[in-house]
Amino acid sequence: MFSSRARITAIGSYVPERVLTNADLEKMVETNDEWIVKRSGIKQRRIAQEGEFTSDISYQAVVNLMERYNKSVEDVDMILVCSMTPDFKTPSVASLVQAKLGIKNTGAIDINAACAGFTYGLHVANGLITAGLHKKILVIGAETLSRITDFEDRTTCILFGDGGGAVLVEYDEVQPSFISSHLVSEGEGGKKLYSTHLSSSMNGEDLVHTGKLVQSGRDVYKWAVTTVPKGMERLTELAGTSLEEVQWFVPHSANLRMIESICERSGFPIDQTLYSLVNYGNTSAATIPLSLDIGVKEGKLRTGDKVLLYGFGGGLTQAGLLINWTL
């Protein structure tokens, strides 16, 4: 791992006002609060209002970041938005955020790595800054998954919600954040979690062509709890450290039972794990920044802590980062 010159200097988040509780879902599909909590740990989720899209959520997360850390974004030279639910096919969400923020001289691109999106975005930002190509980058993870959720499918509609988080990554060779990274993709498993678009087949197999999220929950669960602990071990090996020296684990908040299994298999304490699913559900690329911000607001994350971030999901993709918490 080459030496990083990039530092995370601020964080912000935003979730829509509308709350969808488990009791609300009981009126929509055959389910109940006890069943949902037992299988997922989720109690409620946020749902975007009509006319509220991923670019709006992204913008509000950046506004929250600026207000809390007294940061200006006028000199940001790259915007990376990590999302699988863009407002449009084109222009990108990043371009829309650029316009909303009024930043005149910046690159703007979207990254779609599904639930691993935010960690991929941080990895790219670290590379761009460390290479000397950019100095100040906004990395945003935001989703409006409610718009591609099938609310007649009781196995998936209980899981997903909307929200977003943003961090500012700046050049800093004295106190960099990034220690090691580990990225994996298994595209042959893409049919286990997908939402169709132009094509209605994948790897020669027909898909359910509804445009909604389709998931083989059991297969995704088995894949994640088997492979993520190995990735966590690889991250610490690359950094020349061990899991015992990591203060916080921040996985993708897909499902609490999945996180518990990953912790059990890796030997990492569940009480040193940050997740956002209880009140926000699975927000794909937004779960990790939302979880980090919960840790900040609750006073858990402290300067100097080693934090292991691990995104995993549709693709099938994984991206893990070991970072020093530098806020």
Side-chain angles (χ1 to χ4, degrees), residues 5-25:
R5 297 180 179 179
R7 177 184 177 188
I8 297 171
T9 60
I11 188 169
S13 62
Y14 171 82
V15 291
E17 292 184 8
R18 182 188 169 195
V19 177
L20 183 68
T21 66
N22 291 347
D24 294 327
L25 285 170

Side-chain angles (χ1 to χ4, degrees), residues 44-197:
Q44 61 184 34
R45 64 290 294 146
R46 298 299 182 95
I47 304 295
Q49 301 286 355
E50 185 176 353
E52 185 177 37
F53 294 94
T54 300
S55 65
D56 302 306
I57 289 173
S58 299
Y59 168 74
Q60 292 296 340
V62 177
V63 169
N64 180 252
L65 175 155
M66 291 190 293
E67 291 175 347
R68 288 165 55 191
Y69 290 86
N70 192 30
K71 288 284 188 178
S72 168
V73 297
E74 293 178 358
D75 55 343
V76 161
D77 52 18
M78 178 62 77
I79 302 170
L80 304 175
V81 174
C82 312
S83 181
M84 58 181 285
T85 51
D87 303 28
F88 308 103
K89 295 176 185 177
T90 191
S92 67
V93 177
S95 292
L96 299 174
V97 171
Q98 173 269 318
K100 292 174 187 290
L101 292 169
I103 305 172
K104 298 301 182 183
N105 297 296
T106 185
I109 57 173
D110 288 358
I111 296 174
N112 181 358
C115 307
F118 185 74
T119 41
Y120 265 89
L122 284 178
H123 179 72
V124 171
N126 175 40
L128 290 172
I129 290 176
T130 300
L133 300 175
H134 292 270
K135 293 286 189 181
K136 193 172 182 179
I137 299 177
L138 277 171
V139 181
I140 304 165
E143 304 283 7
T144 47
L145 291 177
S146 61
R147 291 200 164 84
I148 60 170
T149 296
D150 183 355
F151 283 99
E152 295 182 358
D153 178 5
R154 66 191 293 267
T155 65
T156 59
C157 73
I158 65 170
L159 299 174
F160 300 111
D162 304 333
V167 296
L168 192 61
V169 185
E170 300 186 65
Y171 181 87
D172 189 335
E173 57 184 306
V174 176
Q175 193 180 9
S177 297
F178 299 87
I179 304 171
S180 64
S181 62
H182 175 68
L183 287 75
V184 179
S185 183
E186 300 176 39
E188 61 274 15
K191 193 179 177 183
K192 295 176 182 178
L193 175 57
Y194 68 87
S195 176
T196 52
H197 185 37

Side-chain angles (χ1 to χ4, degrees), residues 314-327:
L316 297 167
T317 58
Q318 294 183 24
L321 297 174
L322 185 62
I323 66 171
N324 282 314
W325 191 248
T326 51
L327 268 67

Side-chain angles (χ1 to χ4, degrees), residues 203-222:
N203 299 327
E205 296 183 62
D206 291 337
L207 304 174
V208 178
H209 192 40
T210 63
K212 302 297 184 181
L213 277 169
V214 179
Q215 176 177 260
S216 175
R218 183 174 297 180
D219 288 336
V220 173
Y221 184 99
K222 183 179 179 180

